[in-house]
Amino acid sequence: MSLSAIDRLCFALDYPDLDSALPIARRLAAEVGVLKIGLELFLREGPRAVAELARLGPRLFLDLKLHDIPATVAGAVRSVGALGVDFLTVHAGGGKAMLEAAAHAASEVSASRPLTLLGVTVLTSMDDAELHGVGVGDGAASQVARLGRLAIDSGLGGLVCSVEEVAALRGALGAAPVLVTPGVRPAGAAVGDQRRVGTPATAIESGSSILVVGRPIRQAPDPVAAARAIRVEIGEALGSRS
Ligand code: C5P
């Protein structure tokens, strides 16, 4: 997939309601290629958030991180399909039957606006110690490789992983999967609750398709300038990758 620098920048609209999300989304619509609607916004505003943001132009990513039994997740994917978004997340840890049911439901969504399912491997806020606490003893790199392979073999179109794992996944899975990396931090930016982070240039050089950026843009004194600077860094890294 040949994506431009703007196509590769996704802004996480982590706001409590549309009154706060829409003004910043409008300002950033010319700087980013994807807007991500997360749980905070969707649980308050519902489908209205999708309808309002769809007018702005960027592609839409509904980050619901579905994780339930196969029939329930398939039904949820069908409901999201009717909304008309471009990307939807499901937890790869839900297992093969759940992932296959989700992929089948997504394949039946309107061909005019295909829905790409992204499997969340390991949250970028988790490190090896946290994984140990939930029974995963062999660390993030192994767990991401295992779940990434499972999700792609089950028919998903892409994965969410950290910048630290994206090169290994790209090497193992080839050029086709859409690899989405949150936990992106320009050099010197605050890390916050993220644990596995990387710069925009490293993400691109490592084979990331789309970079999700929230706080480094949202909390910047000038969010438009911050987004533009990240886009320029992505463009430069693409130039040196090709
Ligand atoms: O503010 P920040 O740049 O850390 O935002 C990252 C965004 O990416 C958040 O909306 C978060 O929900 C999302 N995300 C993540 N790790 C994942 C999947 C999604 O941080 N594995």
Side-chain angles (χ1 to χ4, degrees), residues 15 32 81 84-85 101 110 127 132 138 140 162 165 180 194 210 212 216 224-225 229 239:
Y15 293 91
V32 306
V85 299
S110 156
D127 56 18
H132 198 79
D138 57 354
S162 88
E165 297 98 30
V180 177
Q194 298 285 17
I210 296 174
V212 177
V224 173

Side-chain angles (χ1 to χ4, degrees), residues 163 181-186 189 194 196-200 203 211-214 216 230:
V163 177
T181 52
V184 170
R185 293 291 181 267
Q194 298 285 17
R196 303 187 340 273
V197 299
T199 66
L211 286 59
V212 177
V213 186
I230 294 170

